[in-house]
Each structure stands twice: as C-alpha cells, then as structure tokens.
Amino acid sequence: ASSWGILRQLVRANSIVALVFTARDGPLSGYAGQLTADPLTQSFDLQPLEPGQLYQVACQLLGVTSIPVSLAQLLDERAQGNPLFCQQLVLNLHEHGVLMQQGSGMAINRASSFFRNQQGQLARITTQVD
C-alpha cells in the first residue's frame, strides 16, 4: 500500500495520528484527496511567505548573511512562498555544489557540473522539490 493508503487506514482505525504535510494549491487525488476530505482530518491553509522572507529562510539555512540575487529569484519562482519547498531547493542546490561559501555570504559556484548542463540540471534539481 502507498504511504497515503497506510495513513488512511490509521485514521479509519481511530488511531491517533499527527501528520503535517504541505501541498501546492489545487485538488489532491487518490488517497491524499480521500484523507484530506475525511471528517476526522483537520487542515489549515497557510498563506505563502513574502519573497523577502524566503531570502531570510535561505540565509538561515545556509548560515550566511546574504545569497545571490539570482538564487533569491529562483526561490521566489520555484518555492512560491512555501518555506519547506525553499528549504529543499536550497539544500539540494548546496548538496549539488551549486552554492559555495564566500565570506559571510553564499555565491554561485560557476565551476560546478551544474553549469555544464544548466537547463537539465536545474530542471532535475527543482523537480525533486515539486
């Protein structure tokens, strides 16, 4: 069974389950849709963070005081105000060697293999977050 199916079985068995998950706006299908439609499920719609707040989230995650403008723009586009998506994108880019420490800030590592195949790599890295 899928993870959603197992969660649905736990809810149906009157088990106490605390689950926090995020999803982009729009309808959920399959078990996810059934779980969120269940009367035992309580959900909260959170508003997206403002673009400047994503900049701050990224700086905190990386332990720096600044990030490149191009990274901030990428976060605004891809994370769409969701701090968890922002976190995963930043950590993924850092893990792939795209980001490097430069003084008290972060810089784009143009020598990373990411830039040899920029479009494909960017699509692959950012798709992992979606």
Side-chain angles (χ1 to χ4, degrees):
S2 72
S3 299
W4 288 111
I6 292 169
L7 289 172
R8 189 161 186 272
Q9 288 175 1
L10 287 171
V11 169
R12 288 286 173 213
N14 291 322
S15 298
I16 297 174
V17 176
L19 169 70
V20 177
F21 74 92
T22 64
R24 295 193 188 267
D25 284 340
L28 297 172
S29 60
Y31 286 126
Q34 292 172 11
L35 184 62
T36 57
D38 192 298
L40 297 174
T41 300
Q42 186 173 11
S43 65
F44 303 92
D45 291 326
L46 302 177
Q47 297 303 310
L49 295 179
E50 298 293 323
Q53 292 173 309
L54 288 181
Y55 181 95
Q56 293 170 351
V57 168
C59 287
Q60 284 182 327
L61 286 168
L62 296 167
V64 297
T65 57
S66 65
I67 60 172
V69 171
S70 59
L71 176 59
Q73 291 170 337
L74 176 71
L75 296 175
D76 289 343
E77 284 176 26
R78 298 300 299 180
Q80 299 177 346
N82 186 316
L84 296 177
F85 290 145
C86 175
Q87 175 187 23
Q88 288 307 303
L89 183 54
V90 166
L91 295 177
N92 213 335
L93 290 170
H94 192 261
E95 178 183 307
H96 282 84
V98 176
L99 305 176
M100 66 179 186
Q101 187 88 29
Q102 188 174 52
S104 62
M106 197 58 70
I108 302 291
N109 178 7
R110 303 234 178 255
S112 77
S113 61
F114 168 83
F115 288 100
R116 288 186 214 134
N117 182 15
Q118 183 176 5
Q119 292 305 319
Q121 284 282 52
L122 179 61
R124 184 174 60 78
I125 290 170
T126 56
T127 299
Q128 290 176 2
V129 177
D130 291 338

mmCIF file of all heavy atoms in Angstrom, residues 35-66:
data_model
loop_
_atom_site.group_PDB
_atom_site.id
_atom_site.type_symbol
_atom_site.label_atom_id
_atom_site.label_comp_id
_atom_site.label_asym_id
_atom_site.label_seq_id
_atom_site.Cartn_x
_atom_site.Cartn_y
_atom_site.Cartn_z
ATOM 1 N N LEU A 35 -7.968 11.317 2.171
ATOM 2 C CA LEU A 35 -7.528 11.627 3.528
ATOM 3 C C LEU A 35 -7.883 13.056 3.909
ATOM 4 O O LEU A 35 -8.404 13.309 4.989
ATOM 5 C CB LEU A 35 -6.020 11.395 3.662
ATOM 6 C CG LEU A 35 -5.427 11.592 5.045
ATOM 7 C CD1 LEU A 35 -6.021 10.602 6.044
ATOM 8 C CD2 LEU A 35 -3.921 11.430 5.010
ATOM 9 N N THR A 36 -7.631 14.002 3.020
ATOM 10 C CA THR A 36 -7.921 15.394 3.346
ATOM 11 C C THR A 36 -9.421 15.678 3.392
ATOM 12 O O THR A 36 -9.855 16.608 4.061
ATOM 13 C CB THR A 36 -7.235 16.354 2.354
ATOM 14 O OG1 THR A 36 -7.650 16.038 1.032
ATOM 15 C CG2 THR A 36 -5.730 16.259 2.457
ATOM 16 N N ALA A 37 -10.225 14.873 2.694
ATOM 17 C CA ALA A 37 -11.680 15.055 2.713
ATOM 18 C C ALA A 37 -12.331 14.363 3.908
ATOM 19 O O ALA A 37 -13.498 14.617 4.210
ATOM 20 C CB ALA A 37 -12.289 14.513 1.418
ATOM 21 N N ASP A 38 -11.588 13.512 4.588
ATOM 22 C CA ASP A 38 -12.130 12.765 5.719
ATOM 23 C C ASP A 38 -12.526 13.727 6.839
ATOM 24 O O ASP A 38 -11.783 14.649 7.174
ATOM 25 C CB ASP A 38 -11.065 11.780 6.233
ATOM 26 C CG ASP A 38 -11.641 10.784 7.214
ATOM 27 O OD1 ASP A 38 -12.135 11.217 8.282
ATOM 28 O OD2 ASP A 38 -11.586 9.582 6.922
ATOM 29 N N PRO A 39 -13.701 13.544 7.450
ATOM 30 C CA PRO A 39 -14.133 14.459 8.519
ATOM 31 C C PRO A 39 -13.220 14.423 9.751
ATOM 32 O O PRO A 39 -13.225 15.354 10.543
ATOM 33 C CB PRO A 39 -15.547 13.983 8.877
ATOM 34 C CG PRO A 39 -15.779 12.724 8.145
ATOM 35 C CD PRO A 39 -14.717 12.560 7.120
ATOM 36 N N LEU A 40 -12.423 13.370 9.903
ATOM 37 C CA LEU A 40 -11.501 13.293 11.035
ATOM 38 C C LEU A 40 -10.211 14.074 10.791
ATOM 39 O O LEU A 40 -9.410 14.258 11.689
ATOM 40 C CB LEU A 40 -11.152 11.832 11.345
ATOM 41 C CG LEU A 40 -12.317 10.950 11.777
ATOM 42 C CD1 LEU A 40 -11.869 9.502 11.901
ATOM 43 C CD2 LEU A 40 -12.894 11.456 13.098
ATOM 44 N N THR A 41 -10.045 14.540 9.580
ATOM 45 C CA THR A 41 -8.835 15.280 9.218
ATOM 46 C C THR A 41 -9.072 16.771 9.406
ATOM 47 O O THR A 41 -10.080 17.307 8.980
ATOM 48 C CB THR A 41 -8.448 15.005 7.747
ATOM 49 O OG1 THR A 41 -8.205 13.614 7.591
ATOM 50 C CG2 THR A 41 -7.214 15.774 7.355
ATOM 51 N N GLN A 42 -8.116 17.409 10.057
ATOM 52 C CA GLN A 42 -8.185 18.850 10.241
ATOM 53 C C GLN A 42 -7.057 19.465 9.431
ATOM 54 O O GLN A 42 -5.907 19.031 9.520
ATOM 55 C CB GLN A 42 -8.030 19.218 11.715
ATOM 56 C CG GLN A 42 -8.236 20.672 11.998
ATOM 57 C CD GLN A 42 -8.231 20.974 13.485
ATOM 58 O OE1 GLN A 42 -7.877 20.128 14.295
ATOM 59 N NE2 GLN A 42 -8.605 22.169 13.844
ATOM 60 N N SER A 43 -7.372 20.438 8.624
ATOM 61 C CA SER A 43 -6.341 21.069 7.809
ATOM 62 C C SER A 43 -6.359 22.576 8.020
ATOM 63 O O SER A 43 -7.358 23.155 8.437
ATOM 64 C CB SER A 43 -6.533 20.736 6.333
ATOM 65 O OG SER A 43 -7.740 21.288 5.872
ATOM 66 N N PHE A 44 -5.226 23.175 7.727
ATOM 67 C CA PHE A 44 -5.060 24.616 7.874
ATOM 68 C C PHE A 44 -4.460 25.148 6.584
ATOM 69 O O PHE A 44 -3.472 24.611 6.088
ATOM 70 C CB PHE A 44 -4.111 24.953 9.032
ATOM 71 C CG PHE A 44 -4.546 24.387 10.347
ATOM 72 C CD1 PHE A 44 -4.097 23.146 10.768
ATOM 73 C CD2 PHE A 44 -5.423 25.090 11.159
ATOM 74 C CE1 PHE A 44 -4.496 22.619 11.978
ATOM 75 C CE2 PHE A 44 -5.830 24.565 12.374
ATOM 76 C CZ PHE A 44 -5.372 23.326 12.785
ATOM 77 N N ASP A 45 -5.056 26.166 6.047
ATOM 78 C CA ASP A 45 -4.495 26.815 4.863
ATOM 79 C C ASP A 45 -3.588 27.944 5.335
ATOM 80 O O ASP A 45 -4.041 28.872 6.008
ATOM 81 C CB ASP A 45 -5.606 27.371 3.971
ATOM 82 C CG ASP A 45 -6.416 26.273 3.314
ATOM 83 O OD1 ASP A 45 -5.830 25.223 2.992
ATOM 84 O OD2 ASP A 45 -7.631 26.465 3.129
ATOM 85 N N LEU A 46 -2.327 27.829 5.013
ATOM 86 C CA LEU A 46 -1.353 28.843 5.389
ATOM 87 C C LEU A 46 -1.060 29.732 4.184
ATOM 88 O O LEU A 46 -1.008 29.254 3.054
ATOM 89 C CB LEU A 46 -0.060 28.185 5.872
ATOM 90 C CG LEU A 46 -0.205 27.239 7.062
ATOM 91 C CD1 LEU A 46 1.139 26.597 7.385
ATOM 92 C CD2 LEU A 46 -0.747 27.979 8.272
ATOM 93 N N GLN A 47 -0.871 30.983 4.446
ATOM 94 C CA GLN A 47 -0.532 31.915 3.380
ATOM 95 C C GLN A 47 0.954 31.790 3.053
ATOM 96 O O GLN A 47 1.768 31.503 3.926
ATOM 97 C CB GLN A 47 -0.851 33.344 3.813
ATOM 98 C CG GLN A 47 -2.325 33.574 4.087
ATOM 99 C CD GLN A 47 -3.179 33.241 2.880
ATOM 100 O OE1 GLN A 47 -2.910 33.687 1.778
ATOM 101 N NE2 GLN A 47 -4.204 32.429 3.084
ATOM 102 N N PRO A 48 1.322 32.001 1.802
ATOM 103 C CA PRO A 48 2.735 31.916 1.425
ATOM 104 C C PRO A 48 3.550 33.033 2.064
ATOM 105 O O PRO A 48 3.019 34.108 2.370
ATOM 106 C CB PRO A 48 2.714 32.057 -0.093
ATOM 107 C CG PRO A 48 1.389 32.620 -0.444
ATOM 108 C CD PRO A 48 0.446 32.295 0.675
ATOM 109 N N LEU A 49 4.828 32.746 2.275
ATOM 110 C CA LEU A 49 5.737 33.775 2.771
ATOM 111 C C LEU A 49 5.981 34.794 1.673
ATOM 112 O O LEU A 49 5.864 34.496 0.484
ATOM 113 C CB LEU A 49 7.076 33.148 3.182
ATOM 114 C CG LEU A 49 7.049 32.182 4.361
ATOM 115 C CD1 LEU A 49 8.448 31.635 4.609
ATOM 116 C CD2 LEU A 49 6.506 32.845 5.607
ATOM 117 N N GLU A 50 6.325 35.981 2.072
ATOM 118 C CA GLU A 50 6.675 37.034 1.124
ATOM 119 C C GLU A 50 8.070 36.750 0.568
ATOM 120 O O GLU A 50 8.882 36.095 1.232
ATOM 121 C CB GLU A 50 6.665 38.397 1.830
ATOM 122 C CG GLU A 50 5.309 38.796 2.381
ATOM 123 C CD GLU A 50 4.286 39.053 1.292
ATOM 124 O OE1 GLU A 50 4.667 39.594 0.235
ATOM 125 O OE2 GLU A 50 3.111 38.701 1.486
ATOM 126 N N PRO A 51 8.363 37.243 -0.631
ATOM 127 C CA PRO A 51 9.680 36.990 -1.234
ATOM 128 C C PRO A 51 10.860 37.324 -0.323
ATOM 129 O O PRO A 51 11.809 36.567 -0.233
ATOM 130 C CB PRO A 51 9.667 37.869 -2.484
ATOM 131 C CG PRO A 51 8.227 37.937 -2.863
ATOM 132 C CD PRO A 51 7.482 37.946 -1.552
ATOM 133 N N GLY A 52 10.834 38.434 0.367
ATOM 134 C CA GLY A 52 11.928 38.791 1.277
ATOM 135 C C GLY A 52 12.096 37.792 2.408
ATOM 136 O O GLY A 52 13.198 37.580 2.917
ATOM 137 N N GLN A 53 11.008 37.167 2.805
ATOM 138 C CA GLN A 53 11.083 36.177 3.874
ATOM 139 C C GLN A 53 11.771 34.903 3.396
ATOM 140 O O GLN A 53 12.466 34.254 4.166
ATOM 141 C CB GLN A 53 9.685 35.882 4.406
ATOM 142 C CG GLN A 53 9.079 37.070 5.141
ATOM 143 C CD GLN A 53 7.633 36.826 5.518
ATOM 144 O OE1 GLN A 53 6.819 36.448 4.686
ATOM 145 N NE2 GLN A 53 7.321 37.072 6.782
ATOM 146 N N LEU A 54 11.593 34.529 2.134
ATOM 147 C CA LEU A 54 12.299 33.362 1.596
ATOM 148 C C LEU A 54 13.800 33.615 1.573
ATOM 149 O O LEU A 54 14.594 32.712 1.814
ATOM 150 C CB LEU A 54 11.800 33.015 0.190
ATOM 151 C CG LEU A 54 10.409 32.397 0.108
ATOM 152 C CD1 LEU A 54 10.060 32.093 -1.345
ATOM 153 C CD2 LEU A 54 10.306 31.141 0.951
ATOM 154 N N TYR A 55 14.195 34.837 1.283
ATOM 155 C CA TYR A 55 15.613 35.229 1.325
ATOM 156 C C TYR A 55 16.165 34.957 2.728
ATOM 157 O O TYR A 55 17.225 34.358 2.880
ATOM 158 C CB TYR A 55 15.729 36.706 0.952
ATOM 159 C CG TYR A 55 17.140 37.249 0.934
ATOM 160 C CD1 TYR A 55 17.859 37.290 -0.259
ATOM 161 C CD2 TYR A 55 17.740 37.723 2.086
ATOM 162 C CE1 TYR A 55 19.147 37.792 -0.296
ATOM 163 C CE2 TYR A 55 19.029 38.227 2.064
ATOM 164 C CZ TYR A 55 19.725 38.264 0.870
ATOM 165 O OH TYR A 55 21.011 38.758 0.842
ATOM 166 N N GLN A 56 15.417 35.368 3.741
ATOM 167 C CA GLN A 56 15.839 35.169 5.125
ATOM 168 C C GLN A 56 15.896 33.685 5.485
ATOM 169 O O GLN A 56 16.818 33.239 6.170
ATOM 170 C CB GLN A 56 14.896 35.910 6.076
ATOM 171 C CG GLN A 56 14.972 37.412 5.946
ATOM 172 C CD GLN A 56 13.862 38.124 6.714
ATOM 173 O OE1 GLN A 56 12.930 37.509 7.209
ATOM 174 N NE2 GLN A 56 13.974 39.437 6.797
ATOM 175 N N VAL A 57 14.921 32.906 5.026
ATOM 176 C CA VAL A 57 14.916 31.459 5.278
ATOM 177 C C VAL A 57 16.173 30.835 4.682
ATOM 178 O O VAL A 57 16.862 30.050 5.335
ATOM 179 C CB VAL A 57 13.646 30.792 4.694
ATOM 180 C CG1 VAL A 57 13.771 29.274 4.682
ATOM 181 C CG2 VAL A 57 12.414 31.213 5.474
ATOM 182 N N ALA A 58 16.490 31.189 3.442
ATOM 183 C CA ALA A 58 17.669 30.636 2.770
ATOM 184 C C ALA A 58 18.949 31.009 3.517
ATOM 185 O O ALA A 58 19.822 30.154 3.724
ATOM 186 C CB ALA A 58 17.728 31.121 1.330
ATOM 187 N N CYS A 59 19.062 32.245 3.935
ATOM 188 C CA CYS A 59 20.254 32.677 4.673
ATOM 189 C C CYS A 59 20.390 31.910 5.990
ATOM 190 O O CYS A 59 21.488 31.475 6.342
ATOM 191 C CB CYS A 59 20.204 34.183 4.941
ATOM 192 S SG CYS A 59 20.514 35.191 3.471
ATOM 193 N N GLN A 60 19.297 31.727 6.704
ATOM 194 C CA GLN A 60 19.334 30.973 7.955
ATOM 195 C C GLN A 60 19.750 29.530 7.723
ATOM 196 O O GLN A 60 20.561 28.980 8.457
ATOM 197 C CB GLN A 60 17.984 31.014 8.656
ATOM 198 C CG GLN A 60 17.703 32.324 9.338
ATOM 199 C CD GLN A 60 16.360 32.308 10.066
ATOM 200 O OE1 GLN A 60 15.419 31.657 9.631
ATOM 201 N NE2 GLN A 60 16.286 33.037 11.161
ATOM 202 N N LEU A 61 19.188 28.897 6.700
ATOM 203 C CA LEU A 61 19.522 27.502 6.399
ATOM 204 C C LEU A 61 21.005 27.332 6.087
ATOM 205 O O LEU A 61 21.619 26.350 6.484
ATOM 206 C CB LEU A 61 18.716 27.006 5.194
ATOM 207 C CG LEU A 61 17.254 26.716 5.436
ATOM 208 C CD1 LEU A 61 16.545 26.516 4.104
ATOM 209 C CD2 LEU A 61 17.107 25.476 6.294
ATOM 210 N N LEU A 62 21.548 28.300 5.351
ATOM 211 C CA LEU A 62 22.940 28.206 4.925
ATOM 212 C C LEU A 62 23.917 28.808 5.929
ATOM 213 O O LEU A 62 25.127 28.667 5.775
ATOM 214 C CB LEU A 62 23.093 28.901 3.562
ATOM 215 C CG LEU A 62 22.314 28.250 2.414
ATOM 216 C CD1 LEU A 62 22.267 29.191 1.203
ATOM 217 C CD2 LEU A 62 22.930 26.909 2.044
ATOM 218 N N GLY A 63 23.389 29.471 6.949
ATOM 219 C CA GLY A 63 24.245 30.078 7.968
ATOM 220 C C GLY A 63 25.058 31.250 7.436
ATOM 221 O O GLY A 63 26.217 31.431 7.817
ATOM 222 N N VAL A 64 24.447 32.035 6.543
ATOM 223 C CA VAL A 64 25.126 33.175 5.937
ATOM 224 C C VAL A 64 24.277 34.426 6.079
ATOM 225 O O VAL A 64 23.118 34.354 6.479
ATOM 226 C CB VAL A 64 25.434 32.904 4.438
ATOM 227 C CG1 VAL A 64 26.385 31.735 4.277
ATOM 228 C CG2 VAL A 64 24.157 32.667 3.646
ATOM 229 N N THR A 65 24.866 35.567 5.727
ATOM 230 C CA THR A 65 24.120 36.823 5.812
ATOM 231 C C THR A 65 23.556 37.272 4.477
ATOM 232 O O THR A 65 22.731 38.174 4.426
ATOM 233 C CB THR A 65 25.015 37.953 6.373
ATOM 234 O OG1 THR A 65 26.165 38.079 5.522
ATOM 235 C CG2 THR A 65 25.452 37.643 7.799
ATOM 236 N N SER A 66 24.019 36.629 3.385
ATOM 237 C CA SER A 66 23.497 37.020 2.070
ATOM 238 C C SER A 66 23.579 35.857 1.093
ATOM 239 O O SER A 66 24.383 34.938 1.263
ATOM 240 C CB SER A 66 24.283 38.213 1.513
ATOM 241 O OG SER A 66 25.628 37.842 1.263
#
